[in-house]
Amino acid sequence: MRSTGNRPPATGRRWLMLGLATVGFALNFWAWALLSPLGPRFKDDLGLSAFQQALLVAVPVVVGSIGRVPVGALTDRFGGRVMFPLVSAVTIVPVLFLGLVGNTSLAALLVGGFFLGVGGTAFAVGVPFVNLWFPPERRGLAIGIFGAGMGGTAISALTTVDLVEWSGVATPFVVTAVVLAVYAVVAALLLRDAPGRTVPTGSLGGRLAATARLPITWQASALYAVAFGGFVAFSVYLPAYLGTAYGLAQADAADRMAGFVLLAVVMRPVGGWLSDRLGPVRVLVTCLAVVAVGAVAQAFTPALVPWGTIAFLAMAAALGAGSGAVFALVALLAPADKVGSVTGVVGAAGGLGGFVPPLVMGALYGAMSSYALGLAALAVVALVSLLFTATAVRRATRVHQRVNGRREVQA
């Protein structure tokens, strides 16, 4: 007997749910990235060191990253219909705190930034939600489109400084809070979980322990720490880097960071689409090679136009496509009832991968007045990840394909 709840959903409904999830991800990422464009301003106003500025923009990243682990597991249990409005509503609180009272001291900014990290957990809600709405052969593209919601950081980069200059520090925070409130209401009314969604049993701790035993959890975590971690690191630290290394004004640096982010955003669904057709391993190997070459080139601090710009845009495209390919790999290898938990761990690794480089870059520049060593380290990490993908990850995908082939023959 077949349950009617397991019938494939209508195509239009799938795309509506994908669209709502992508918008929610973008808006929460907009909130999550509010402090980054204002880092140089707070550095000047509060007399912060380069390390303190890096810490300020990195705190929401690390909290949002670690928070994805329990949020992903909770999404497996309660579904995106509950978790998307909840995460959006909770994020409003630190946004308003930072805008209205928490921007006058480093301590207050760090406290607000800590809770602002909740917005970064929206990623772990959306991946399992979208994954269940689409068939396996289209999940790479669907999750890639959802991942384009990371462009919310570009919204922040393009609007935050202008809004502050137009109407004061509180303005971008209040605007973001209002938009999040509207989305939370809309999501509560319209979002629906996929038909036939399996609700996992057992305790949260037990499910996380089972997730930790899956090889795909750690393989994808390592790769996402490089791909998405690299994107996050550049998106939060690029304004400071461009200002220090090339003497760009704050607004000009923020605009160039927005261009970096937008290209990465566009390339994320492309990476998922290519993974559906060519396989995620091939896409990842190519992307990691491009990152390694771009990092080596930028380590020499070439002229910003054209060579520095080419290097950064090439890395943006590769990091975006690589991020999409990682979650095409997760959709391929992770059990359906553990996608949220796996996503939480992998997403945490990606965010933590973005937490460390800004601190390292700030510390290295403070000690050596040069970013070359940090960029050279990125090149080495990308090359090691390329070799790992071409060997261990490729073997895992081949084993999965052989096992699935046998199951299809038996069926």
Side-chain angles (χ1 to χ4, degrees):
M1 183 178 295
R2 186 167 57 187
S3 169
T4 57
N6 290 325
R7 289 176 182 169
T11 299
R13 193 169 182 80
R14 284 177 181 157
W15 290 101
L16 174 62
M17 294 301 108
L18 175 58
L20 288 170
T22 303
V23 170
F25 179 33
L27 296 180
N28 278 279
F29 251 42
W30 176 9
W32 193 40
L34 280 170
L35 290 179
S36 177
L38 297 176
R41 181 188 184 94
F42 289 134
K43 179 183 179 183
D44 293 339
D45 291 349
L46 302 177
L48 306 181
S49 67
F51 180 80
Q52 287 173 323
Q53 179 187 353
L55 180 64
L56 173 63
V57 299
V59 164
V61 173
V62 70
V63 174
S65 303
I66 295 173
R68 291 174 188 175
V69 177
V71 168
L74 289 170
T75 302
D76 280 340
R77 177 67 179 84
F78 296 106
R81 182 184 183 183
V82 171
M83 295 301 294
F84 251 127
L86 180 62
V87 167
S88 302
V90 171
T91 302
I92 293 171
V93 177
V95 168
L96 289 177
F97 170 80
L98 286 166
L100 300 178
V101 298
N103 54 60
T104 57
S105 70
L106 177 61
L109 285 168
L110 291 175
V111 170
F114 180 91
F115 291 101
L116 190 65
V118 173
T121 68
F123 179 74
V125 178
V127 170
F129 176 81
V130 170
N131 187 72
L132 291 174
W133 271 104
F134 285 82
E137 67 274 11
R138 302 190 69 183
R139 284 175 182 163
L141 174 61
I143 295 174
I145 291 173
F146 166 76
M150 66 187 188
T153 57
I155 300 174
S156 179
L158 290 170
T159 63
T160 302
V161 173
D162 289 340
L163 286 172
V164 168
E165 292 177 352
W166 173 62
S167 188
V169 173
T171 304
F173 295 91
V174 172
V175 169
T176 307
V178 170
V179 174
L180 280 173
V182 172
Y183 175 77
V185 173
V186 172
L189 294 174
L190 298 181
L191 278 182
R192 296 292 183 271
D193 291 310
R197 184 178 75 89
T198 301
V199 179
T201 57
S203 67
L204 176 63
R207 286 186 283 121
L208 288 175
T211 299
R213 291 192 290 270
L214 296 172
I216 180 57
T217 302
W218 304 110
Q219 291 168 349
S221 292
L223 295 173
Y224 204 57
V226 178
F228 186 71
F231 163 78
V232 171
F234 278 121
S235 66
V236 300
Y237 198 68
L238 197 54
Y241 172 88
L242 292 174
T244 303
Y246 291 101
L248 298 187
Q250 180 181 347
D252 189 10
D255 288 344
R256 290 175 186 270
M257 185 269 274
F260 180 97
V261 170
L262 287 172
L263 180 57
V265 166
V266 170
M267 290 303 296
R268 184 156 183 158
V270 172
W273 176 76
L274 288 172
S275 296
D276 287 339
R277 283 150 182 78
L278 304 176
V281 170
R282 290 181 181 177
V283 176
L284 280 164
V285 166
T286 302
C287 291
L288 291 166
V290 172
V291 171
V293 172
V296 169
Q298 191 56 38
F300 293 97
T301 317
L304 187 58
V305 180
W307 304 116
T309 299
I310 292 172
F312 276 120
L313 292 182
M315 286 191 287
L319 292 169
S323 297
V326 170
F327 274 94
L329 189 69
V330 170
L332 177 67
L333 299 182
D337 64 341
K338 292 185 175 65
V339 171
S341 298
V342 173
T343 297
V345 177
V346 175
L352 290 173
F355 172 73
V356 176
L359 297 180
V360 172
M361 295 287 276
L364 284 174
Y365 187 83
M368 304 173 63
S369 298
S370 173
Y371 292 112
L373 187 58
L375 288 159
L378 172 60
V380 172
V381 169
L383 285 174
V384 171
S385 301
L386 187 158
L387 293 174
F388 174 67
T389 303
T391 54
V393 177
R394 176 171 276 127
R395 284 196 297 270
T397 58
R398 286 175 176 169
V399 168
H400 173 81
Q401 289 165 350
R402 285 199 297 269
V403 170
N404 275 4
R406 291 195 191 102
R407 287 176 179 169
E408 289 173 3
V409 170
Q410 292 170 358

